[in-house]
Amino acid sequence: MSETVTNAIELNNISVNFQNHDQEIDAVKNVDLQIKRGDIYGIIGYSGAGKSTLVRVINLLQQPTQGSVIVNNQEILKLKPVELRQARKKVSMIFQHFNLMKSRTVQGNVEYPLLGTKISKADRQAKAEKLLRLVGLSEYAGTYPSQLSGGQKQRVAIARALASDPEILISDEATSALDPKTTKSILELLKQLNRDLDLTIVLITHEMQVIKSICHNVAVMDAGEIIERGPVAKVFTEPQQKLTTDFVETSTNVKEAIERITSTIKISEFKDNQELMYFNFIGNSTKQGVVSEFSQKYGIDVNILFANIDQIDGENVGYMIAVITGDLAVFNAAIQRLSSEGVKTRILTNDVLEGGAA
Amino acid sequence: MTAIIPNVIAMKGEFIQATWETIYMTLMSAIVSAVLGLLVGVLLVVTQPGGILEDKLTYSVVDKLVNLLRSIPFIILLAVISPLTKFLIGTTVGTTASLVPLIFGIFPFYARQIQNALLDVDHGVIEAAESMGSSPLEIIFRIYLREGLADILRVSIVTVISLIGLTTMAGAIGSGGLGDVAINIGYARFENDITFTAMIIILVLVFAVQLFGDWVVRRVEHQ
């Protein structure tokens, strides 16, 4: 199969400029993005990075200033309005604030995408019922959205999004207004839909936690550009950009830990043979006794202040912050050996003294 | 009764007729203004910057026209519009003739109210409908007019009440109705009981509209 067949979405050299009074704002700058059929692709960035604008180019809710958009093998920008509306039915979208119609019941909301199609009323109702069963809300068919919780509203929105049998689902911060437990259950549902319906999911978020729990691939956006991309496990363990490192450390609590540690212990009182160190273990290296090796083989004292372990795409990833005390020459040799085993280290002592908390 | 409101009792028949005339003027001009106002209000919302059928020229022309019509004091509009009334109805006096100025007096106001009501419809829902492949016409009928229904009804009540007020002013050009009775008979002949009774009937009409409207709004609202 050629590239165009396996890619559900292809954005080529997309730019979006907004004219705001006399100011020109480049919301998206020359972005190329290919998303494979069946993938769960995450786009992460802080608000204002341009991720919402970028994904709205996929269904042309946002007209790009330049570039080409190929969705389901159709050149979207060349479609007539009627054809575009047909194409949009195959690219569903869910939103941070659910965007349900308050004047319609749950059932009515789910039926909405089927209004005006050739599907008969009975079939339409049956389909909505089936979808509500799928999202676990059968008993709420007759209620109005205002009576539902956030998580339930998002489930209704998902059922509505599925009514037109889409091939692609765009999730625009769909879990950002939900509590952690509800977020988890919504993400589980998305994962299940990806698996069972072979739905391609494009997901925007500002939380690395979300990317980590369901995405296969991720792109990091900043100031309208994709600054880093790749399989989640790789981006997670080998972040190349400062911003990516930021996101990773926030999601693993490392950032918070560093802040806590540096505010409670006095680095300036460290002896010459002491350092505050950050260790990042990936895959197999987590299985070996790094700490015991340090102390037994090299005679270095390791005082662990923080440790955490994560599983990303089946790989173990560990994080540790420790104060080490020992002969620095020996210590350097030990670090050399560690990095050859895939453990990444960073000395935090100087960062902290210079005032920048990692 | 004859002692308290002697003049009213004496012209009971006229009062009943005047009440019907007021109801007739209000209803007829409300129906036509509802159609015109909804059309113009929806047109303003969909053509405004960022609307689903954004069109700067249409928007600015219609917007200015509505403002212009809204700026003319009704009592002057009654006089200014009389050539058009003559052309459309054949005469400038009487209940039916008063419908023309009433419609032009109220529909721009209603259009503006409709515009504001529809602007309250969550933009996210409009975007969601667009993402589901709804056409502009489907968005107008299935989203704007439906999601905005409670607010549309609310502004309709306000408009009908304003309209009842305008029908009394139309009395100045001989439209008939309760305003005509209150001013041209009650006030002109110093028969205060007539003026007062006309006011009471108008108040009853206004309260009836308000109560009925509130009841309907409660029935359609689900938030």
Side-chain angles (χ1 to χ4, degrees), chain B residues 34-116:
Chain B
V35 175
L36 287 174
L38 274 169
L39 273 174
V40 175
V42 168
L43 191 66
L44 284 170
V45 169
V46 297
T47 58
Q48 74 170 16
I52 54 171
L53 292 170
E54 183 174 341
D55 185 333
K56 284 200 181 89
L57 182 69
T58 311
Y59 177 76
S60 86
V61 169
V62 176
D63 184 57
K64 288 188 175 65
L65 216 62
V66 166
N67 274 348
L68 180 82
L69 281 169
R70 291 244 289 128
S71 307
I72 306 172
F74 185 65
I75 200 85
I76 293 175
L77 181 72
L78 281 171
V80 168
I81 212 165
S82 60
L84 180 67
T85 312
K86 176 111 183 155
F87 173 73
L88 289 173
I89 313 284
T91 173
T92 58
V93 288
T95 313
T96 304
S98 75
L99 294 181
V100 178
L102 282 173
I103 288 162
F104 277 88
I106 205 73
F107 99 80
F109 171 77
Y110 189 53
R112 195 59 90 197
Q113 300 259 9
I114 290 292
Q115 182 191 10
N116 289 332

Side-chain angles (χ1 to χ4, degrees), chain A residues 300-315:
Chain A
I300 299 168
D301 259 357
V302 179
N303 179 20
I304 301 171
L305 301 175
F306 168 85
N308 189 9
I309 195 150
D310 250 331
Q311 207 170 36
I312 300 157
D313 248 11
E315 277 230 81

Side-chain angles (χ1 to χ4, degrees), chain A residues 56 99 103-104 112 146, chain B residues 124 127 134 142 147 222-223:
Chain A
R56 276 165 174 71
N99 295 348
S103 66
R104 291 174 199 271
Y112 180 86
S146 60
Chain B
E127 194 184 34
S134 293
R142 293 188 185 144
E147 289 290 291
H222 299 289
Q223 39 207 348

Side-chain angles (χ1 to χ4, degrees), chain A residues 38-110:
Chain A
D39 199 355
I40 304 184
Y41 202 108
I43 299 173
I44 188 167
Y46 288 120
S47 46
K51 31 189 213 315
S52 283
T53 310
L54 181 67
V55 295
R56 276 165 174 71
V57 170
I58 297 171
N59 56 6
L60 229 55
L61 285 180
Q62 176 64 53
Q63 192 80 25
T65 317
Q66 68 157 46
S68 78
V69 188
I70 300 168
V71 178
N72 295 329
N73 298 324
Q74 271 183 310
E75 182 106 35
I76 293 285
L77 286 163
K78 291 189 176 146
L79 297 180
K80 296 191 192 77
V82 185
E83 295 168 332
L84 173 63
R85 291 201 285 272
Q86 280 308 313
R88 277 179 176 167
K89 289 181 197 286
K90 295 291 155 203
V91 186
S92 286
M93 199 161 176
I94 54 174
F95 306 85
Q96 179 173 6
H97 299 295
F98 325 121
N99 295 348
L100 297 175
M101 287 156 264
K102 61 180 163 49
S103 66
R104 291 174 199 271
T105 59
V106 164
Q107 172 96 13
N109 268 281
V110 179

